[in-house]
């Protein structure tokens, strides 16, 4: 049986972590800066990206830059120059959700590979194929799709398909800085408050008090994150048999050691199954290495992959 070997991609916080994760086995990494990207593990500035791309390419790895912010009129200023620099540095693709990014990229001297990631709205192949006709080369699927929907999507997609297989997911976003506004309402100095995950902010449902939803806030607004982490390590063969092009590990709000460990385990599964599908056997130590570092208050789950969807 011929198995397609998917790309293993991971988001990372710094150039140092980028190097660490590529050495661990990542085929591609995602970086970006808060001015143009949101929900990023770290803020990698434009002047650092040239070094990152050059180093990654020496290692035969790719670098994708997240430009997935929700743009207002002011944010459009400088977008052309930013994309032009990314193109000059040789980034392998830009991740976008806003059509303004695609339209600006069209005016560049040369084509720039574009990955369409509209979070929860990338749920059907027809819309993805529309964006393919506009110039997108990849679609990042919504995390709410189950396995049956993912595989059916891939069969009819006219562009490459990326699926998140590990880590935290976003379940709500507001452009407003809700935590900052609340702190100011309480009469506290919001400027001196750390409003990120490090403050340990959570939402808890009254009926399910054992589940905590992290509140992550940055300069792009407020994000409510999932109470569990996706972990599809044991089920990668099903996605590989389905010819999925790219498997993503979300590095947001995780340590470099954790992300490195996850990359190594997923690399091991992908390589072992691709080398011998018929004789493949899952090794429990691949998962155990992740579990050792997993936050005990965050369960590893299959996300929506094996849930029946009713619309």
């Amino acid at each position: 049986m011929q198995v397609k070997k998917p790309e293993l991609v991971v988001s990372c916080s710094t150039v140092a972590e980028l190097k660490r994760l590529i050495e661990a086995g990542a085929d591609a990494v995602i970086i970006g800066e808060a001015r143009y990207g949101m929900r990023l593990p770290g803020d990698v500035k434009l002047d650092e990206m040239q070094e990152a791309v050059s180093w990654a390419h020496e290692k035969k790895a790719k670098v994708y830059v997240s430009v997935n912010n929700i743009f207002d009129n002011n944010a459009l200023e400088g977008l052309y120059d930013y994309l032009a620099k990314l193109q000059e540095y040789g980034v392998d693709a830009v991740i976008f959700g806003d059509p303004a990014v695609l339209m600006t990229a069209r005016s560049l001297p040369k084509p720039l590979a574009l990955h369409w990631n509209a979070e929860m709205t990338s749920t059907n192949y027809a819309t993805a194929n529309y964006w393919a006709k506009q110039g997108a080369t990849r679609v990042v699927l919504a995390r709410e799709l189950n396995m049956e929907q993912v595989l059916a999507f891939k069969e009819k997609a006219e562009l490459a398909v990326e699926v998140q297989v590990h880590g935290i997911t976003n379940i709500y976003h507001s452009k407003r800085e809700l935590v900052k506004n609340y702190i100011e309402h309480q009469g506290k100095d919001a400027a001196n408050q750390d409003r990120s995950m490090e403050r340990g902010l959570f939402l808890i449902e009254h009926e399910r008090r054992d589940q905590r939803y992290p509140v992550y806030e940055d300069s792009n607004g407020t994000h409510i994150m999932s109470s569990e982490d996706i972990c599809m390590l044991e089920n990668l063969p099903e996605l590989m048999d389905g010819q999925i092009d790219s498997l993503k590990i979300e590095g947001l709000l995780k340590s470099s050691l954790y992300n490195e460990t996850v990359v190594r385990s997923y690399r091991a599964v992908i390589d072992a199954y691709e080398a011998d599908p018929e004789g493949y056997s899952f090794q429990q130590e691949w998962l155990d290495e992740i579990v050792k570092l997993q936050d005990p208050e965050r369960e590893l789950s299959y996300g929506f992959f094996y849930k029946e969807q009713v619309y």
Side-chain angles (χ1 to χ4, degrees):
M1 178 177 63
Q2 185 67 34
V3 173
K4 178 175 181 177
K5 194 169 189 176
E7 170 193 81
L8 182 61
V9 59
V10 57
S11 58
C12 55
S13 59
T14 63
V15 175
E17 186 180 28
L18 172 150
K19 295 177 179 180
R20 187 171 175 176
L21 298 182
I22 290 174
E23 293 284 12
D27 298 305
V29 291
I30 298 170
I31 56 177
E33 60 177 294
R35 183 169 48 137
Y36 293 112
M38 62 181 174
R39 286 187 297 277
L40 298 167
D43 202 25
V44 180
K45 300 298 186 182
L46 189 60
D47 58 4
E48 301 177 273
M49 290 183 183
Q50 188 170 20
E51 175 201 348
V53 173
S54 177
W55 189 93
H57 286 177
E58 287 181 5
K59 299 293 183 178
K60 310 300 182 186
K62 295 181 178 180
V63 176
Y64 305 140
V65 176
S66 186
V67 190
N68 65 335
N69 209 339
I70 299 173
F71 288 85
D72 57 23
N73 292 332
N74 292 332
L76 292 176
E77 294 183 15
L79 179 59
Y80 177 90
D81 291 339
Y82 184 73
L83 295 180
K85 275 296 182 184
L86 296 181
Q87 186 178 72
E88 177 187 331
Y89 294 162
V91 301
D92 296 281
V94 162
I95 301 166
F96 80 100
D98 195 315
V101 176
L102 181 147
M103 296 177 71
T104 303
R106 281 179 173 175
S107 62
L108 294 171
K110 300 180 296 183
L112 180 63
L114 296 164
H115 295 174
W116 179 57
N117 181 7
E119 295 289 335
M120 291 178 288
T121 62
S122 47
T123 56
N124 71 83
Y125 64 85
T127 303
N129 291 343
Y130 165 81
W131 286 110
K133 290 179 173 61
Q134 307 311 309
T137 57
R138 176 182 296 187
V139 55
V140 182
L141 298 197
R143 284 60 166 174
E144 290 75 20
L145 299 182
N146 63 27
M147 182 65 78
E148 181 181 355
Q149 293 168 322
V150 167
L151 298 181
F153 196 122
K154 171 57 184 173
E155 286 183 1
K156 298 185 177 181
E158 297 171 2
L159 67 177
V161 171
E162 179 181 306
V163 176
Q164 183 179 337
V165 292
H166 197 94
I168 200 167
T169 61
N170 177 61
I171 61 175
Y172 169 84
H173 171 255
S174 172
K175 193 71 174 174
R176 297 176 62 194
E177 294 179 311
L178 302 179
V179 177
K180 176 183 177 181
N181 292 342
Y182 174 76
I183 291 172
E184 290 177 341
H185 178 71
Q186 295 296 312
K188 298 178 181 179
D189 182 6
N192 293 321
Q193 296 287 333
D194 177 4
R195 294 176 278 116
S196 69
M197 177 67 171
E198 284 67 34
R199 290 191 69 240
L201 297 177
F202 298 92
L203 286 181
I204 299 177
E205 292 186 68
H206 179 72
E207 299 297 328
R208 295 186 293 178
R209 303 191 67 82
D210 58 325
Q211 294 193 17
R212 305 195 304 173
Y213 299 87
V215 180
Y216 174 74
E217 186 167 297
D218 55 22
S219 59
N220 294 309
T222 309
H223 318 270
I224 309 301
M225 311 304 290
S226 60
S227 62
E228 302 174 343
D229 287 323
I230 298 173
C231 180
M232 288 293 288
L233 188 69
E234 296 176 84
N235 304 82
L236 291 190
E238 193 169 356
L239 291 166
M240 292 174 67
D241 288 346
Q243 305 295 301
I244 298 301
D245 302 279
S246 182
L247 305 175
K248 181 190 175 184
I249 296 167
E250 176 55 76
L252 180 65
L253 303 179
K254 305 296 185 185
S255 69
S256 292
L257 175 60
Y258 180 91
N259 289 335
E260 179 184 9
T261 301
V262 172
V263 167
R264 290 190 187 281
S265 291
Y266 277 79
R267 177 82 276 149
V269 172
I270 291 170
D271 290 350
Y273 187 69
E274 190 266 342
D276 185 11
E278 299 298 331
Y280 171 80
S281 176
F282 182 79
Q283 305 300 307
Q284 185 60 35
E285 62 260 28
W286 295 333
L287 180 58
D288 290 344
E289 291 302 308
I290 297 174
V291 172
K292 288 177 186 176
L293 299 175
Q294 182 68 20
D295 182 345
E297 295 185 342
R298 292 189 61 79
E299 182 181 348
L300 293 173
S301 77
Y302 298 132
F304 287 91
F305 276 100
Y306 299 107
K307 293 182 179 179
E308 183 178 356
Q309 305 290 34
V310 179
Y311 297 107

